[in-house]
Every structure is written in structure tokens, then in C-alpha cells.
Amino acid sequence: MPNLPAHDYADGHVIHLVPRLAPAPGPAPAPLELPRRLGPAGRAWFAFANAAVSAASMAALFLLWTHATPGWWFDLIFTVMLVGLAAAPWAILAASIRQARFERGLQALWGDIGRRAIAADARVIERDWTLSEDGSVASFTLTVRTADAASLCGRWQPAAASQGLLQAQVPGVGAQARVWRVADAPAGAPLVIEAADPSVVA
């Protein structure tokens, strides 16, 4: 079912796409496979670019309100546009920092509890994906059901924005999966759903 709204992994349920599932589970995967985020240097450069955009927007606002224009309605429309142009990059940067902090927390928690994770066999009962502009799979979600009838949903995202998947690489409904979870984990603890890439020939 392509192009359905993607499940966000705010619950820490992360999909690991592996070449194949081993018959017997080995150690729990570590660390969580999460997308790479901007580091301190990247955030600094982004903030510098944002400051330049903000300065240019403020200069444009000054010219707008100190020179003759068709009317106040014209000034108001372009004021809203310029303020939005200046504010949007800062909002993106703030969201990126919050997401990176959240993901660091997930990694730290999984590092503490992941060694106690127990594998449970599961089957995929539903899948959704989102496509990038070139038609590759930008992310996908799987809903799996374990032997104890528990249904869990997880999300796969590429490590880098340029890394996508072919649609044939997304596990299908009925595919075998493996859930790694800790029985006494705190609320909101991450877990890993391993699923095999169906395009890999055994």
C-alpha cells in the first residue's frame, strides 16, 4: 500500500532490514539503526545560513515599510511572507535538534537494556511506504504480529537522505520477522523489528 501516512517512531520501534534472518537468533542488534542527523558543525553552518536569511529579510522589511507601496495591504502581505521566510529555517533547525536529542536518548536507553532483549518470531500483517521523487522507497512501516498475538509497528528510515530502497526490497505481508524486546522495559523503551530483504537470494 504505497504512499500511506508513515508511522513515526516516537515510540522507539525501529525496523532493521537485514539480508536474511538466521534460523537461530544471535545477540540483540546494537545500536539502533537510526538516520544520521546534522552534527555540531553542520548545525553551526545551518544557523549561519539562517542568520543571513534573517538579516536579508529584515533589510527587505525595512525597505518595504520606508518606501512608497501600493498600500498597507501590500505591506502586510509581504511582511507575512518575509517573516515566514525568516522563521521557517529556524523552526527546521529547532526540530532537527529536538529529534537528534530524542534519538540519542533512544540509543542510550537501548544501550542499557538491549543486552537483555529477547527475540520473538513474528509475521508481517501490514506494510506501508512513502516514495521519494525518483520513485524509490524513502521509508516504510511494518506491522507485525508475534506468537502471543501482540501487534507491533515499526519504521525503517535510511541512514542518509540519498539512500533509498526499491519497492521489491520492502518485506511483504506474510513475511517472517523477529522482534527484539525487553519484558520489563520502561514505558517508551525502544525495540527492534528485524525483517529480511526479500530481494536477496539465499
Side-chain angles (χ1 to χ4, degrees), residues 65-156:
W65 286 96
T66 57
H67 290 72
T69 62
W72 66 267
W73 54 270
F74 182 91
D75 297 347
L76 182 61
I77 290 172
F78 278 89
T79 296
V80 172
M81 290 175 58
L82 289 168
V83 170
L85 179 65
W90 292 109
I92 293 171
L93 179 60
S96 175
I97 293 172
R98 284 195 304 270
Q99 185 66 19
R101 186 181 300 119
F102 170 72
E103 290 172 1
R104 284 196 301 271
L106 287 180
Q107 290 285 20
L109 182 55
W110 183 251
D112 290 338
I113 69 173
R115 294 183 296 275
R116 296 186 283 114
I118 298 173
D121 291 334
R123 290 282 176 182
V124 177
I125 59 172
E126 186 178 349
R127 68 173 185 173
D128 304 327
W129 65 69
T130 57
L131 300 178
S132 59
E133 292 181 358
D134 63 3
S136 63
V137 177
S139 67
F140 69 84
T141 64
L142 297 178
T143 303
V144 301
R145 180 169 293 148
T146 60
D148 60 3
S151 294
L152 300 164
C153 186
R155 184 179 185 189
W156 175 90

Side-chain angles (χ1 to χ4, degrees), residues 9-47:
Y9 59 102
D11 52 7
H13 296 185
V14 182
I15 292 175
H16 286 195
L17 189 64
V18 297
R20 59 185 59 85
L21 287 175
L32 299 175
E33 294 180 2
L34 297 173
R36 288 194 296 270
R37 302 294 176 184
L38 281 177
R43 289 197 293 269
W45 278 108
F46 193 67

